[in-house]
Amino acid sequence: MEKGSYFYSRCLQLVFVFLQTATYVICKPCPPCGTTPVPFPFSTDSTCGDPSYKIRCSATNSTLFFDTINNSYPITSISPTFQRLTIKPPFIGNNSCISPDLSSGGVWLNPALPFNVTSSNTIMLLNCTANILVSPLNCSSNSLCHLIHQSSCQNLPICCTFVAGGSSTSHSIHISTQYCSAYRSYVNLNPAQPVYTWQNNSGLELQWASPREPLCTTQADCEDSTKMNCETSSDSVVKRCFCISPLMWNPISGTCEQSMFLILLI
Ligand SMILES: *[C@@H]1O[C@H](CO)[C@@H](O)[C@H](O)[C@H]1NC(C)=O
Ligand SMILES: *[C@@H]1O[C@H](CO)[C@@H](O)[C@H](O)[C@H]1NC(C)=O
Ligand SMILES: *[C@@H]1O[C@H](CO)[C@@H](O)[C@H](O)[C@H]1NC(C)=O
Ligand SMILES: *[C@@H]1O[C@H](CO)[C@@H](O)[C@H](O)[C@H]1NC(C)=O
Ligand SMILES: *[C@@H]1O[C@H](CO)[C@@H](O)[C@H](O)[C@H]1NC(C)=O
Ligand SMILES: *[C@@H]1O[C@H](CO)[C@@H](O)[C@H](O)[C@H]1NC(C)=O
Ligand SMILES: *[C@@H]1O[C@H](CO)[C@@H](O)[C@H](O)[C@H]1NC(C)=O
């Protein structure tokens, strides 16, 4: 009986802590884009999310778009827990082996923004010239790129395969008429699987750095002054809304929360 009521009250306490935690929202998440959720830290307009994580919403077809330096790609999935999203590069047409984004050089991420290309991507550069052969990429005759089913790119002599995410490919998938005019990208490709299933892994996966606490100029900018103080951070001159101890910044939810350690102590 005694034991039961102890657990009962402990449970209530935990529920209470979690309820409190849930109310400490400071960076307002954005409303859904049509029917597609927009998780924190993404920002579809200036009133919500973190402005460094700006994406665009096309509400009529519930599609989110990720803008690169000279282009825009539909977002096909977002995983806040793993801080990764997948974009869809445009399809290569059946008539010529040229990626529609050739004119803008392929995918170029703005290096000033907190996104990079993950090492889960297997990239195949297609319709290449002999200029590419000086690169360290695998352009041999048994390179995986020779296997893909893409009618306009089949039977072309030079193509190359590489796994992205190295320092030289962390912010771009570079194509050009001088080197390679088309590309395909696959996330978590298992080359042992039959080639006709590869299409299922089509996409380009990006990763984002954890968002920092929101910027502020005065205390009034911090959504909840009982949970946050507008202070200059030790590593820079900008001011941010820092969580008041013992609350801690949670970059996944964008909230000030009790640390797990404290929850366990109660
Ligand atoms: C959705 O709408 C945008 C503009 O409103 C358009 O560019 C895009 O092609 C549409 N469809 C898809 C599947 O993205
Ligand atoms: C391209 O060709 C494939 C088969 O070769 C076909 O299934 C597909 O419908 C074609 N796509 C277009 C847009 O014509
Ligand atoms: C390969 O790329 C070159 C340069 O962009 C283009 O002129 C040629 O038509 C492409 N080849 C095919 C088969 O599409
Ligand atoms: C992006 O666009 C700018 C201006 O239009 C151009 O100068 C630049 O070369 C383009 N970059 C790429 C990678 O195409
Ligand atoms: C290129 O890739 C193929 C297929 O994965 C592999 O068998 C071959 O050893 C690779 N060649 C080089 C030079 O890495
Ligand atoms: C692609 O994935 C879907 C769902 O994950 C699966 O049902 C389907 O069989 C897969 N298609 C191929 C060709 O592997
Ligand atoms: C990509 O971004 C993640 C998260 O910020 C970082 O840990 C990783 O080192 C970056 N990778 C490269 C190759 O820059």
Side-chain angles (χ1 to χ4, degrees):
M1 178 66 191
E2 192 125 294
K3 205 173 177 187
S5 67
Y6 167 74
F7 275 113
Y8 179 65
S9 82
R10 187 186 157 88
C11 196
L12 269 186
Q13 275 179 334
L14 282 180
V15 167
F16 181 65
V17 168
F18 278 118
L19 282 178
Q20 269 193 324
T21 307
T23 63
Y24 294 163
V25 175
I26 48 163
C27 270
K28 208 166 49 141
C30 293
C33 171
T35 55
T36 306
V38 180
F40 183 83
F42 290 100
S43 172
T44 47
D45 74 63
S46 59
T47 63
C48 60
D50 182 320
S52 302
Y53 299 80
K54 201 171 168 296
I55 54 176
R56 277 184 311 108
C57 165
S58 170
T60 46
N61 52 22
S62 298
T63 306
L64 292 166
F65 288 89
F66 184 88
D67 290 338
T68 56
I69 289 177
N70 281 347
N71 243 315
S72 188
Y73 300 88
I75 296 173
T76 52
S77 66
I78 299 182
S79 167
T81 318
F82 296 104
Q83 298 184 254
R84 287 166 183 232
L85 74 146
T86 304
I87 59 174
K88 185 166 90 178
F91 286 119
I92 302 168
N94 281 348
N95 299 328
S96 59
C97 186
I98 292 179
S99 285
D101 50 357
L102 173 64
S103 58
S104 52
V107 181
W108 288 74
L109 306 184
N110 181 348
L113 294 179
F115 295 93
N116 67 24
V117 177
T118 76
S119 54
S120 303
N121 298 290
T122 299
I123 313 290
M124 302 189 185
L125 298 177
L126 309 167
N127 188 9
C128 301
T129 67
N131 292 339
I132 196 74
L133 298 177
V134 298
S135 75
L137 310 179
N138 185 339
C139 307
S140 63
S141 59
N142 59 358
S143 181
L144 292 175
C145 58
H146 287 287
L147 300 176
I148 67 156
H149 289 164
Q150 174 72 52
S151 57
S152 60
C153 297
Q154 257 156 4
N155 308 318
L156 296 180
I158 307 176
C159 69
C160 309
T161 306
F162 67 97
V163 173
S167 55
S168 65
T169 55
S170 64
H171 290 95
S172 68
I173 305 300
H174 190 183
I175 54 171
S176 68
T177 52
Q178 287 82 22
Y179 292 94
C180 304
S181 292
Y183 69 102
R184 294 295 310 265
S185 172
Y186 302 92
V187 182
N188 297 322
L189 180 70
N190 178 359
Q193 292 291 314
V195 179
Y196 71 87
T197 67
W198 292 7
Q199 184 56 40
N200 256 8
N201 298 59
S202 213
L204 182 67
E205 189 185 70
L206 309 178
Q207 185 176 12
W208 69 85
S210 291
R212 297 282 315 270
E213 292 89 346
L215 293 169
C216 56
T217 46
T218 70
Q219 182 66 26
D221 298 334
C222 300
E223 197 142 298
D224 187 341
S225 2
T226 65
K227 312 295 184 292
M228 329 192 72
N229 280 332
C230 184
E231 286 170 350
T232 307
S233 50
S234 51
D235 59 344
S236 78
V237 291
V238 298
K239 286 179 148 189
R240 293 180 183 277
C241 299
F242 286 102
C243 301
I244 296 171
S245 179
L247 300 180
M248 285 170 57
W249 172 243
N250 180 335
I252 294 174
S253 56
T255 58
C256 286
E257 294 178 355
Q258 299 279 2
S259 72
M260 262 308 160
F261 181 67
L262 278 177
I263 290 175
L264 291 177
L265 278 185
I266 290 171

